[in-house]
Amino acid sequence: MRFLFKTNYDQDIRLAKHGGHVFWYGLLCLFLAVAPWAIDEYWLAQLTFVLIYGIVGLGLMLLAGFTGLFSLGHAAFLGVGAYTQAVLVNAGVPFPIALVCAGLLAAAVGVVVGLPALRVKGIYLGMATLAFGFIVEEGLARWESVTGGNKGLMVNYPQLFGWALDTTQSFYFLCLVVCVASTLAIVNLMRSPTGRAFVAIRDSEISAQSMGIHLARYKTLSFALSAALAGLGGALYAHKIQFLSPEQFSIIQSIDLLLMVVIGGLGSIHGAFLGAIFLIVMPQLIALGKDHLPDAIGQAAGLQGTVYGLVLIAFVLFEPMGLYGRWLKVRTYFQLFPFYRKGMFKRQKSFQKSDRLK
């Protein structure tokens, strides 16, 4: 009995639950490690953007997917982290210190936003964060002595312990290390009492409060952690594009980030990265498809926004759990084949429908 208890306990604390996880995640790590030599420089740059947006997506997933607090101004935290990193690095501050400061300042701004938003939820919380996004964008444009205003701000290459990360390969590995560390931190956070408190708040605030969960404290903490990850992603984003302008952190960017986690799959770590892949790959597919469409459609100014809207509507209607939910269904189908039944996930959809109506 004692041996059995120890075995179950070991399985609970291990990140990899079985050998399949070890194999597939090991294969993924191997691919990411050899990617600079396996793919050309263009696709390596796109993969770097996936890692950066994946970090930001982890923060927004923590806020929206695990705590149930939607933000329509998350690009503001991305901008705070990006400009903080740019100003400090250009002033000669070492890269690691600037990166930490970018995350901490974004977290502090997240607390400032989270405290007034404690009394509102749903669409009213979205309106409050939307207003905050407009305020930050206007502030970045007006504070010309620091941000450069609408003229923009150039960003120097990062230097780590005297080593200039001025190549696509070296900067990719930097983003990979930060992304892996952020992912492990979120995975372990969600297995802790704090993570369980976030999920309890998402499912039912009344039930969470009745169990002794301090709603204000944990909501504010969720905003701070989400903003900190967005700040880290913004810091790396600044070095990647090497030029910052306030319009890069507009409401359109915030909607893209929210679209990323919704299509990726709310409430899942995998969904943050699947959504990041979608956000990077979809514009490439639209650009390729323009050549095969009539000129009246292919050259239309709002083609990308229209496609994004149609994709989002399709996911909301037919796959509310996003890309990760679809993957779970495909995996279950092959695991149970030939005993898979068509209506197996019907109860799951009805639960989500009732959850939206409460």
Side-chain angles (χ1 to χ4, degrees), residues 199-276:
V199 174
I201 293 174
R202 178 198 65 186
D203 292 341
S204 175
E205 291 188 7
I206 297 176
S207 300
Q209 195 170 19
S210 67
M211 291 187 293
I213 296 175
H214 197 289
L215 297 184
R217 181 185 306 162
Y218 282 100
K219 283 184 176 181
T220 306
L221 179 61
S222 179
F223 259 104
L225 294 176
S226 178
L229 286 172
L232 292 178
L236 297 175
Y237 179 82
H239 286 296
K240 181 59 183 174
I241 62 176
Q242 298 180 355
F243 179 80
L244 297 179
S245 182
E247 59 265 18
Q248 295 171 341
F249 309 102
S250 63
I251 178 60
I252 303 300
Q253 179 75 286
S254 296
I255 294 176
D256 285 345
L257 295 178
L258 187 59
L259 181 76
M260 175 178 68
V261 296
V262 171
I263 291 181
L266 284 173
S268 65
I269 301 296
H270 299 80
F273 293 98
L274 292 175

Side-chain angles (χ1 to χ4, degrees), residues 71-147:
S71 172
L72 290 176
H74 221 67
F77 303 124
L78 185 72
V80 169
Y83 273 96
T84 302
Q85 181 75 12
V87 171
L88 292 179
V89 169
N90 289 349
V93 177
F95 171 80
I97 298 177
L99 185 65
V100 173
C101 290
L104 291 178
L105 183 58
V109 175
V111 173
V112 172
V113 177
L115 287 176
L118 294 176
R119 295 183 177 273
V120 295
K121 59 182 179 179
I123 188 173
Y124 301 103
L125 177 60
M127 293 172 62
T129 55
L130 177 63
F132 168 73
F134 283 125
I135 292 172
V136 171
E137 182 183 359
E138 190 67 19
L140 294 176
R142 299 296 180 183
W143 200 3
E144 297 183 1
S145 61
V146 176
T147 65

